[in-house]
Amino acid sequence: MKHPDGAYWLKTRRLTFALLFVWIVVTFGASWFARELNEFSLFGFPLGFYMGAQGVIFIYLLIIWFYNRQMRRLEREFGIDDE
């Protein structure tokens, strides 16, 4: 196990804050701009409605998947993976 100069935690924090920023933008952006998004349609539904009902949840799942993938890569890079 090696942690040169806290590089692992620095990269972990950067990833976490970047994904937190994406979460904030998606969550509040879909709410604040729902009327503007409703001018577009997706699968026959107004986009603002679709984002509130399913789209935001799908993006949350993508954030979780990406975080998991990146953390596994970081753990392999720093030799602290369990597998």
Side-chain angles (χ1 to χ4, degrees), residues 28-66:
F28 294 107
S31 302
W32 287 333
F33 298 107
R35 287 186 184 168
E36 291 80 6
L37 290 173
N38 281 337
E39 295 177 9
F40 305 99
S41 67
L42 184 66
F43 303 120
F45 296 103
L47 185 58
F49 172 78
Y50 181 81
M51 289 299 289
Q54 293 180 349
V56 172
I57 294 170
F58 181 69
I59 293 172
Y60 292 162
L61 290 174
L62 287 176
I63 289 171
I64 292 168
W65 171 80
F66 185 76

Side-chain angles (χ1 to χ4, degrees), residues 1-2 5 14 16-17 19 21-22 24 30-31 36 39 42 45 47 50-51 61 66 72 74 81 83:
M1 187 182 308
K2 57 183 177 179
D5 302 326
R14 280 186 186 162
T16 302
F17 286 122
L19 292 177
F21 178 75
V22 171
I24 289 170
S31 302
E36 291 80 6
E39 295 177 9
L42 184 66
F45 296 103
L47 185 58
Y50 181 81
M51 289 299 289
L61 290 174
F66 185 76
R72 285 180 184 256
L74 275 176
D81 57 336
E83 298 173 5

Side-chain angles (χ1 to χ4, degrees), residues 3-11 13:
H3 298 273
D5 302 326
Y8 173 77
W9 290 110
L10 179 67
K11 289 183 177 186
R13 276 184 277 161

